[in-house]
Structures are given as C-alpha cells and as structure tokens.
Amino acid sequence: MIITRYNIAPVAVQPDSDPASEPLLTPIAPAPGQQPSNGTEVLVPIDSGTAFTGGLLPDWSFGEWAAYSGIVLLALLLTAIATTTLWWMLHAWRSADDLRATQFSASPRPARHRFTLLVPGRHEEEVMGQTLDRLAEQDHPDFEIIAIVGHDDPGTELVVREAAARNPHLIKVVVDDSVPKNKPKALNRALQIATGDVVGVFDAEDEVHPGLLTVVDSKFQETGADVVQGGVQLMNFETSWWSLRNVLEYYFWFRSRLHFHARSKFIPLGGNTVFVTRERLEWSKGWDDQCLAEDCELGVRLSSDGAKVVVAYNPEYVTREETPPTLKSLYKQRTRWNQGFLQVLGKGEWKKLPTLRQRMYARYMLNMPFLQAATGLLIPISIAFILLVKVPTAVALITFLPLIPTVITLVVEAAGLTEFGRIYDKKVRMRDYTKLILGLVPYQIFLAAAAVRSVVRQLRGDGSWEKTEHTGAHRDAAVTPESTAVPVLATTGASEAK
C-alpha cells in the first residue's frame, strides 16, 4: 500500500463559493527546488503502475547474475543426474515382477545352440590359463573356446597353449598379428574361424560358473533374443576404499541398471559375459576396432536396428572378476570407457533409434562423460565462490538440492553392501560402511577427473588403448553364493521371485 502524506492547511472561503465543493485535504506538491513553507514533508502521489517495476527481480550486477545463475544451474544439473541414477539403481527392486524378470530360469530347457567363446588376452599369463581351464568345465554339450594372444606376447601364448594341450578338443589358439593391438581387433580375428551360432565374450581373468552356457541357451530359447547379457561381479571389496565402491557399481549396474536400459531398448552392452547370435555379428561386421568401448558401440548399433537384448543376473551364475589393482589403473580404465562413449556419441549411430524418447535417452547416456567433466570442473569453483562471496539465501538453499538424492543413494548403497555380503558369503564390517560413506565425495571427484581426461584425449585425437592389469585377487576370495538369499532391497513379495 502506498501512503501519501498530505499538508492539512486552512482553506479560505470565498463569499461566492460553496464550502462543500472544496476538498478538505488538498495534495500540495512543492515547486522544483522548493520546500513547503511550514517545513512539513510533502510526497507527491505515486502512480500505482510503476510500483513494482524494479521489485520483481533482485537488484544484482551482471557479474552477480552470471555467478548465481551458474551455481543454480550446476545444482539443478547435479540433482537431475543424481535422481536419474538413483531411479535406475532401484529398477530391479520396484516389484516382484521386475525382480523375477532379471533372472535366469530355474528350470533351463535342453540345449539347442552351439557356442563359440572368445577369450582375448594380452600379458595375462598370471590368470588366463586358469580362466581357460574353468571355461572348459562348462556342462553344455556343444561349445568351443578360442583364445586370442598377440604375436609379441610369448608369456601369455605359452600359458594358453598349455591350456589347449590339456583340453585339445575344446580350445583353439589364434595369434593376432595386428598392429597396434586392441581387444576388438582380437575379437574380429577370432570371429573368422568361429563355428558357433552364438558367440560369447569373456575376459582373461574371468571366473565362470560351469552351468552358465546351459542357462544362457535356455534364455535364448525362452525369449527369442538376439543378445543375452549375463551378470558380471567384482568381488574383492576389501582391497581398498575405492575397490568397495567399484564393487558396488558393478552390483547395481548388472543387477538393476542394465535391465532398465534393455527395457528402454537402448543399451550399452557389457564387455564380457555377453552372447550375440552369429547372424547379428555378421550383420554388424563384428566389433568396431577403432572404438575404445567396443561393447557399448555394438550395443548402440544393435539397439538402433531393433535387436532384442535380454539381461539376466543370478548371483549363482555371475562371472566373477577383480577390481583394477591400483587407483592409477582404474583411472586409465575409466578414461578409456568415457572416451569410448564420446566416440560412440560422435559416430551418430544412435540417431537411427526409432523414437524421440530413445534418442534423447541415448544422447543423455553418451554425453555423461561431458557432464561429469563439466561438473568436475565447476564444483570446486562453485564451492570457492560460496565460501568467499556472500551468497543470497535463496541461492544457498538451491545448492543443497543435490544432497537429497545423494543421501538417499548412500542409504541404498549401504543396503546393497549388506545384501552383497549376504549373497556372496562375505563378512561386511563396520569399517566397510565407514569407507563407503567417507569415500563418496573422493570417488566422485576421481570419476570426474577421469572424465576430464577422456575429453582432453578425445579433443587431442589420442585413441591409444590403455590396458587394465589383472592379478587374480578375486580368485583368492572366490566363493559360491547363496542362490536362495532374499535381497534386502526387494519390495514386498519379492521373495516369490526367487
């Protein structure tokens, strides 16, 4: 409400005037530069149309507008990323039907397919021989194993040929003489002599359940799938603070997130325990040997062509692996994966997806390295700005929005760690939960740093392959999971899905 002060002054009544016609309160405006004669303050009535002209928006400078807007946008971006990640993490536990759909059949059908299992290895003499022996124990009646080694890697070749001598009817050895070497080149070289109608890929350090091919064969028959993606699980969560988080990443990725991606009909496939029909591989001409994430690239192309992808995860049948042995090795691995996503984004095959929703979803997924890199650079700047500059209350409150999904995610991760320990017969101690909580921020900064490096490498045109080392740490702790365990995160009625 606008209040105008009035000067109450006596009014002289003229003889020929009507006193009732004169106003008792007469607004008096002083002439410019003058003050009222009696010293009383006089305010001119204000036009109500100009009352809110400058009051709708804060009176900030251009620099303040730019800085505060950047902080708000960053907070909203982080909130969106954290919320979508949480939603995908929980996909498998939303209902008993969702949980049931993530698993292999409890009563597999008789074998129908012939499998070719490709196992590339480079400088893997410590682990590859045992992997091949383990694969040779499959109870499926019709399969072959092709081990691929480099022509300049005599140590691994010796181990592989010894394994082939132990299983001459199952294992073939292919020597890859390509230069420079990478995993997709090795796979394409072996594909030329594969005889199976379904081709599976494993890594050199994998610990594979002997009944895996039987349930995968049945899943192909039950669903008519073009691709069956099995579960992969890192095991050595006790090794370090970051290995614990790496293990949980795999747990939620293969246990839940990949199932959501498959249902959305856009899925970046996993690097191993993935089975593709020979017909589809011939259509795709194998794997893209110029891509650092050949698994993601193949999944995108198959999704764009409408291929049916089915994901199945049973703790009993997961392929067990180890986390990278050092933080540096993990850093290089994440850089390679992120850069591979950027390569797939630039290649543009995802633009052939049939619906706008799928294309937008693909754009978001493949742009994730850019988003992580940007947030990684902006977070310290924003924190410094908040600490050094007085921030308006509304802006400060918005910056706390990402904490809501982050705290919920942390609770879900703690429940997931409990479930992981029970299913795989691992003792989870209080210090493990402490490492989980304290490692949250450092691990996110680490992932952002790897994303920044992947963007820099991509901009420089550096597509060199950085190999991940393996030591077999998962075999020292390998155990048989309790296949009948009921997940802690399952919703009401989920136990019926077991």
Side-chain angles (χ1 to χ4, degrees), residues 251-279:
Y251 183 71
F252 285 104
W253 179 260
F254 285 95
R255 188 72 187 87
S256 182
R257 281 193 58 170
L258 275 183
H259 303 276
F260 174 83
H261 299 328
R263 178 174 293 186
S264 302
K265 298 183 179 180
F266 174 79
I267 179 170
L269 293 172
N272 73 79
T273 318
V274 58
F275 302 86
V276 187
T277 62
R278 180 64 179 267
E279 179 182 0

Side-chain angles (χ1 to χ4, degrees), residues 124 126-127 205 236 322-325 469-476:
E124 301 283 12
E126 292 186 19
V127 294
E205 79 280 12
N236 55 313
E322 63 183 334
T323 63
E469 299 85 6
H470 302 108
T471 62
H474 59 303
R475 285 177 173 148
D476 297 336

Side-chain angles (χ1 to χ4, degrees), residues 122-434:
R122 182 162 179 78
H123 304 305
E124 301 283 12
E125 50 267 36
E126 292 186 19
V127 294
M128 194 164 178
Q130 189 171 346
T131 296
L132 295 174
D133 288 339
R134 184 69 168 171
L135 281 174
E137 297 173 358
Q138 289 294 308
D139 59 15
H140 193 275
D142 195 5
F143 69 99
E144 65 176 355
I145 303 169
I146 302 179
I148 313 106
V149 295
H151 72 287
D152 57 349
D153 185 7
T156 305
E157 183 177 354
L158 175 61
V159 169
V160 167
R161 293 197 180 278
E162 289 175 347
R166 292 191 293 269
N167 303 277
H169 59 295
L170 290 177
I171 300 176
K172 301 177 184 177
V173 179
V174 170
V175 177
D176 175 26
D177 57 0
S178 64
V179 178
K181 298 187 184 324
N182 61 34
K183 181 179 178 180
K185 286 182 180 180
L187 295 175
N188 288 336
R189 174 69 181 83
L191 187 60
Q192 299 174 14
I193 65 169
T195 62
D197 58 299
V198 174
V199 178
V201 178
F202 292 94
D203 286 341
E205 79 280 12
D206 287 349
E207 192 78 11
V208 184
H209 189 278
L212 178 63
L213 293 187
T214 297
V215 294
V216 169
D217 192 334
S218 182
K219 183 62 77 172
F220 271 107
Q221 297 177 50
E222 295 159 7
T223 63
D226 298 296
V227 181
V228 172
Q229 171 71 67
V232 181
Q233 183 59 62
L234 304 180
M235 298 301 298
N236 55 313
F237 77 99
E238 314 98 328
T239 303
S240 61
W241 69 269
W242 47 266
S243 66
L244 184 148
R245 289 207 146 268
N246 201 192
V247 166
L248 283 180
E249 277 184 314
Y250 267 66
Y251 183 71
F252 285 104
W253 179 260
F254 285 95
R255 188 72 187 87
S256 182
R257 281 193 58 170
L258 275 183
H259 303 276
F260 174 83
H261 299 328
R263 178 174 293 186
S264 302
K265 298 183 179 180
F266 174 79
I267 179 170
L269 293 172
N272 73 79
T273 318
V274 58
F275 302 86
V276 187
T277 62
R278 180 64 179 267
E279 179 182 0
R280 277 295 182 176
L281 284 175
E282 290 177 348
W283 168 86
S284 69
K285 296 181 173 60
W287 292 265
D288 184 352
D289 62 12
Q290 299 302 310
C291 185
L292 295 176
E294 82 292 336
D295 44 0
C296 171
E297 194 278 336
L298 179 62
V300 170
R301 275 193 292 145
L302 291 174
S303 297
S304 300
D305 195 58
K308 183 173 183 179
V309 181
V310 175
V311 182
Y313 183 105
N314 284 59
E316 180 182 0
Y317 294 111
V318 297
T319 296
R320 293 166 180 74
E321 292 187 346
E322 63 183 334
T323 63
T326 65
L327 198 59
K328 180 180 179 180
S329 182
L330 179 62
Y331 183 61
K332 291 181 178 180
Q333 183 192 68
R334 286 309 172 95
T335 297
R336 174 165 56 84
W337 290 357
N338 285 329
Q339 190 175 354
F341 270 54
L342 296 179
Q343 290 173 334
V344 176
L345 175 67
K347 190 174 180 180
E349 290 289 332
W350 56 272
K351 296 178 182 178
K352 299 177 183 178
L353 288 163
T355 69
L356 176 62
R357 181 177 181 180
Q358 287 174 295
R359 293 191 294 272
M360 295 301 293
Y361 176 50
R363 187 188 293 272
Y364 174 74
M365 284 284 296
L366 298 175
N367 267 299
M368 191 57 67
F370 281 125
L371 296 176
Q372 285 185 323
T375 54
L377 292 174
L378 290 175
I379 285 175
I381 297 175
S382 299
I383 292 176
F385 192 89
I386 293 173
L387 293 176
L388 299 177
V389 180
K390 185 177 180 180
V391 179
T393 302
V395 175
L397 290 175
I398 292 175
T399 62
F400 285 95
L401 283 178
L403 288 178
I404 299 173
T406 299
V407 171
I408 297 174
T409 299
L410 191 60
V411 173
V412 171
E413 288 176 335
L417 179 58
T418 300
E419 178 178 301
F420 173 86
R422 185 161 50 85
I423 289 175
Y424 292 100
D425 195 22
K426 295 278 193 175
K427 187 174 183 180
V428 182
R429 299 174 173 83
M430 185 56 65
R431 65 169 177 263
D432 297 314
Y433 293 104
T434 303

Side-chain angles (χ1 to χ4, degrees), residues 22-48:
E22 295 293 337
L24 296 179
L25 298 176
T26 305
I28 300 175
Q34 295 183 357
Q35 296 295 327
S37 58
N38 62 356
T40 304
E41 180 183 2
V42 176
L43 299 178
V44 179
I46 299 175
D47 182 2
S48 61

